Amino acid sequence: MKDIEEKIKLELEKANLNNEVPNVAILLNEKDELVSIAYNERNRTNKISNHAEIIAIEKFAIKNNSWNLKGFKIIVTLEPCLMCTGAIIQSKISNIYFYVKNEKMGYILSNHSINLSNIKVQQIENKTSDLIKDKLNNFFKLKRNDKNE
């Protein structure tokens, strides 16, 4: 898990440098090998669906010519929204792990009680969670300040 958290931190920095919401998704195969990683790219591309989860899933699916990710796990820094939850369900990912609840847009635990009987869901709470929460808070604080200037 330590290696994965180091990769998350690197991707968070890339998101920050590109003025993107600091959200990272990591896809692990059945052997817990990292097979795809992405961060949000919605602002850079002006493409509404360019959330980290969807980019990570699509990168793997295209490269491997398969959208069926049964047995795979996704680790996300921010609780997935409705759109990303749908993509996770459609791709048959078996486990969702996330660090920070998304009180505004989260669709798994925060705002909706969705039936995920085929998917194991777990929130990760540790020092990395605190780091991610700080990065998200700082990002949106800066965005609000930019709007007020």
Side-chain angles (χ1 to χ4, degrees):
M1 188 66 155
K2 189 175 181 181
D3 290 344
I4 288 173
E5 289 186 343
E6 288 304 316
K7 291 185 186 319
I8 287 171
K9 290 173 187 175
L10 289 171
E11 291 296 302
L12 286 170
E13 287 308 312
K14 289 179 190 176
N16 185 50
L17 289 172
N18 287 296
N19 196 31
E20 294 289 348
V21 173
N23 187 33
V24 175
I26 290 182
L27 194 60
L28 304 176
N29 66 13
E30 306 93 332
K31 298 176 185 174
D32 286 338
E33 299 166 327
L34 192 152
V35 294
S36 187
I37 187 168
Y39 62 88
N40 277 25
E41 294 184 24
R42 188 173 76 168
N43 294 334
R44 182 182 63 77
T45 62
N46 289 312
K47 188 175 176 188
I48 195 71
S49 62
N50 270 2
H51 288 199
E53 299 92 328
I54 291 175
I55 295 169
I57 291 167
E58 286 182 345
K59 276 175 32 178
F60 180 84
I62 291 167
K63 182 179 176 184
N64 293 280
N65 200 30
S66 177
W67 57 265
N68 187 339
L69 306 179
K70 187 172 179 144
F72 282 51
K73 299 172 185 164
I74 192 163
I75 302 171
V76 189
T77 54
L78 185 62
E79 177 184 4
C81 68
L82 172 60
M83 175 179 66
C84 293
T85 300
I88 291 166
I89 292 168
Q90 288 293 316
S91 62
K92 301 185 179 186
I93 289 173
S94 300
N95 298 65
I96 303 169
Y97 301 93
F98 66 91
Y99 285 91
V100 178
K101 276 189 172 182
N102 184 350
E103 300 296 336
K104 187 175 179 184
M105 298 296 288
Y107 201 75
I108 293 175
L109 298 179
S110 295
N111 291 308
H112 196 274
S113 179
I114 189 167
N115 180 1
L116 295 173
S117 58
N118 296 332
I119 302 174
K120 179 184 173 193
V121 176
Q122 181 179 341
Q123 183 176 0
I124 301 167
E125 297 184 81
N126 60 18
K127 288 181 184 178
T128 302
S129 304
D130 295 334
L131 170 82
I132 293 164
K133 200 177 296 184
D134 289 343
K135 288 195 175 291
L136 286 161
N137 287 335
N138 289 337
F139 176 83
F140 288 111
K141 188 178 194 179
L142 287 170
K143 287 292 180 195
R144 283 189 296 275
N145 288 342
D146 286 348
K147 284 183 182 178
N148 292 332
E149 291 179 3

